Amino acid sequence: MTKQNWQNISQSTKAVWAGETEPFFEGCAQVPIVNSVSYSHDDMDHWFEVATGKRKGHIYSRNTNPTVQVFEEKMRVLEDAEAATSFSTGMAAISNTLFALLSPGQRVVSVKDTYGGTSFVFLEHLPRFGIEVSLCETNDIEAIKAEIKKGCDLLYLETPTNPTMKVLDLKKLIAAGKAQGAVVMVDNTFATPINQNPIEFGADLVVHSATKFIGGHSDAMGGIICGRADLVKQVYSFREINGAALDANSAYLLLRGLKTLKLRIDQQNSNAMALAEFLMNHKKVENVFYPGLESDPGHEVAKGQMKGFSGMLGFSLKGGFDDVRKLLPNLRFAHRAAHLGGVETIVGPPRTTSHVELNEAQRAELGIPESMVRCSVGIEDIEDIIEDFAQALDKI
Ligand SMILES: *Cc1c(COP(=O)(O)O)cnc(C)c1O
């Protein structure tokens, strides 16, 4: 795939065309799903050149695959990155990147509110290899900056966070990390490349769970990192032998989902905003966590770095978990599931889903009330969504 110039081309056009402007095999107008494990070569010299990276082509699908490559190119262009490489899941992308780039004696700085799986790698696995991890209070920027100054080889950021939608100041924190010589990595899953582009603020690597908004249809898993070519190459060579390759069938579904990314995210941004406002004014609702609300503590920073406030929101109920128990089964148009980013509205209590391994005190420490519901707002008609929440809240 040649690196064409995508400057001045909008995200919606990139979502449709990036990676797909070159002709495919036999004139296919759509990306073919290449299920071949290997690729045969009649010319021994060509084969050698492909194997040594001097010629375009493929050898073995654990390394590269034509369908997967189109997905990587589309994501690279959407994040405006030098390079991209994909993985079987978002967690494979995160853990492979951390293990590929870090060595014993090095130090990672991050925050307490990272995605649960990431937090587990930080607390349980990196220390086993002699890598120090310091997790700071997410909304204390001075504490994070102070920890970076103590020494930082890798700064890991995630914003907005799961599930309380805390917002990290990307410009300030990336600058602090760079000043210390750290590699800066940002989990952009909640925002998507439509709402936020961390590379614009100097991030070295952006990671996504493609399982969520990127695919958008809750039917395929995948992960991707986009960023500096030297780092992506190092991560790719680790992933290649670690084996966490994205499958061609999943890559096809993710590509198909990506074509409507801009449409979906625009609708989800505006639906989430309207639902957040409705919930905020409801007498049974205690608190709403959504950076789009002017009253939200993250609003000002979010306004400066996000193009939209995302389709994710949280809310808590005045009547405790008993209210959650009554509310969720009464929603007509929502999956009650441990997932997010699909075209359908998806709800779940962090107590049962993302933060089930913590106890009540640990959840309280992260600012997660027991009566909290995380809501991934879908693309349904907003009047139907609000009507549905209204009738379910009435039944409490
Ligand atoms: C889901 C998620 C992940 C992990 O992705 P998987 O595809 O489930 O492995 C990482 N980060 C965030 C923010 C997520 O929501």
Side-chain angles (χ1 to χ4, degrees):
M1 205 71 50
T2 49
K3 299 276 167 76
Q4 288 161 324
N5 184 1
W6 289 95
Q7 254 181 345
N8 302 321
I9 306 287
S10 73
Q11 292 293 74
S12 44
T13 309
K14 289 176 182 172
V16 175
W17 281 105
E20 305 193 33
T21 53
E22 305 251 317
F24 296 125
F25 173 73
E26 297 280 12
C28 288
Q30 294 305 318
V31 182
I33 304 172
V34 179
N35 277 328
S36 190
V37 165
S38 64
Y39 306 84
S40 58
H41 299 272
D42 296 335
D43 184 312
M44 294 302 114
D45 296 322
H46 282 185
W47 190 0
F48 181 77
E49 284 168 18
V50 173
T52 52
K54 291 187 186 73
R55 191 188 185 86
K56 277 211 296 192
H58 304 276
I59 300 287
Y60 191 63
S61 280
R62 170 153 48 73
N63 305 349
T64 64
N65 167 284
T67 315
V68 171
Q69 211 163 51
V70 180
F71 170 67
E72 291 170 341
E73 175 63 4
K74 204 184 278 293
M75 286 302 298
R76 181 193 76 75
V77 170
L78 282 165
E79 285 292 9
D80 198 15
E82 287 172 11
T85 195
S86 61
F87 302 83
S88 51
T89 64
M91 274 320 300
I94 293 164
S95 55
N96 273 267
T97 303
L98 293 173
F99 282 107
L101 298 180
L102 290 163
S103 300
Q106 289 193 317
R107 188 164 193 269
V108 176
V109 175
S110 188
V111 294
K112 288 186 178 165
D113 286 73
T114 54
Y115 179 74
T118 310
S119 195
F120 196 73
V121 175
F122 286 156
L123 295 171
E124 301 292 324
H125 293 295
L126 293 182
R128 292 196 295 120
F129 297 89
I131 297 157
E132 191 190 330
V133 180
S134 172
L135 300 185
C136 309
E137 289 303 329
T138 306
N139 38 25
D140 187 348
I141 185 163
E142 293 312 319
I144 305 171
K145 288 198 323 208
E147 277 305 303
I148 293 170
K149 282 228 177 81
K150 287 185 199 161
C152 180
D153 297 290
L154 190 140
L155 173 64
Y156 188 99
L157 306 173
E158 181 177 327
T159 181
T161 63
N162 178 31
T164 49
M165 301 299 287
K166 291 175 192 145
V167 178
L168 289 174
D169 190 322
L170 286 176
K171 283 176 218 169
K172 287 189 183 151
L173 288 171
I174 292 170
K178 304 301 290 179
Q180 195 65 40
V183 167
V184 184
M185 176 172 177
V186 181
D187 185 332
N188 206 28
T189 302
F190 269 34
T192 81
I194 302 301
N195 286 330
Q196 180 171 279
N197 300 99
I199 287 174
E200 203 181 297
F201 308 120
D204 297 299
L205 291 171
V206 172
V207 62
H208 283 278
S209 165
T211 312
K212 312 291 172 55
F213 289 101
I214 298 298
H217 293 71
S218 310
D219 55 5
M221 304 197 89
I224 186 121
I225 61 155
C226 307
R228 257 169 59 189
D230 59 329
L231 297 174
V232 169
K233 192 173 168 197
Q234 206 177 325
V235 175
Y236 164 76
S237 81
F238 185 79
R239 189 270 279 161
E240 190 185 342
I241 47 93
N242 196 30
L246 179 62
D247 175 72
N249 293 282
S250 297
Y252 177 80
L253 290 169
L254 297 173
L255 273 168
R256 188 177 162 117
L258 267 177
K259 295 195 189 207
T260 56
L261 184 69
K262 180 72 165 60
L263 293 174
R264 287 188 282 112
I265 299 302
D266 284 352
Q267 175 91 356
Q268 284 167 312
N269 285 342
S270 77
N271 280 359
M273 188 72 216
L275 183 62
E277 279 168 350
F278 165 79
L279 290 169
M280 211 176 64
N281 295 314
H282 198 285
K283 60 182 190 299
K284 286 176 184 164
V285 175
E286 179 184 57
N287 200 0
V288 179
F289 305 79
Y290 188 64
L293 296 172
E294 271 175 41
S295 56
D296 191 89
H299 181 68
E300 281 308 311
V301 175
K303 224 167 57 174
Q305 67 190 25
M306 300 182 82
K307 295 167 188 92
F309 298 108
S310 107
M312 297 301 302
L313 62 83
F315 61 95
S316 56
L317 295 167
K318 285 183 182 152
F321 192 71
D322 255 359
D323 271 9
V324 177
R325 211 177 256 124
K326 288 176 203 148
L327 175 80
L328 297 195
N330 282 315
L331 287 168
R332 181 177 172 198
F333 301 120
H335 283 305
R336 286 145 286 263
H339 182 44
L340 61 100
V343 292
E344 62 281 82
T345 295
I346 305 165
V347 292
R351 181 184 185 270
T352 312
T353 57
S354 56
H355 292 73
V356 68
E357 270 119 31
L358 307 186
N359 60 39
E360 188 169 339
Q362 289 169 317
R363 281 190 290 270
E365 219 205 337
L366 292 172
I368 304 171
E370 292 305 284
S371 68
M372 179 162 184
V373 175
R374 183 183 71 183
C375 182
S376 168
V377 187
I379 64 164
E380 303 93 341
D381 190 286
I382 187 56
E383 286 182 19
D384 293 333
I385 295 177
I386 288 176
E387 177 85 0
D388 196 23
F389 274 82
Q391 64 78 25
L393 282 162
D394 280 348
K395 295 202 174 95
I396 290 175

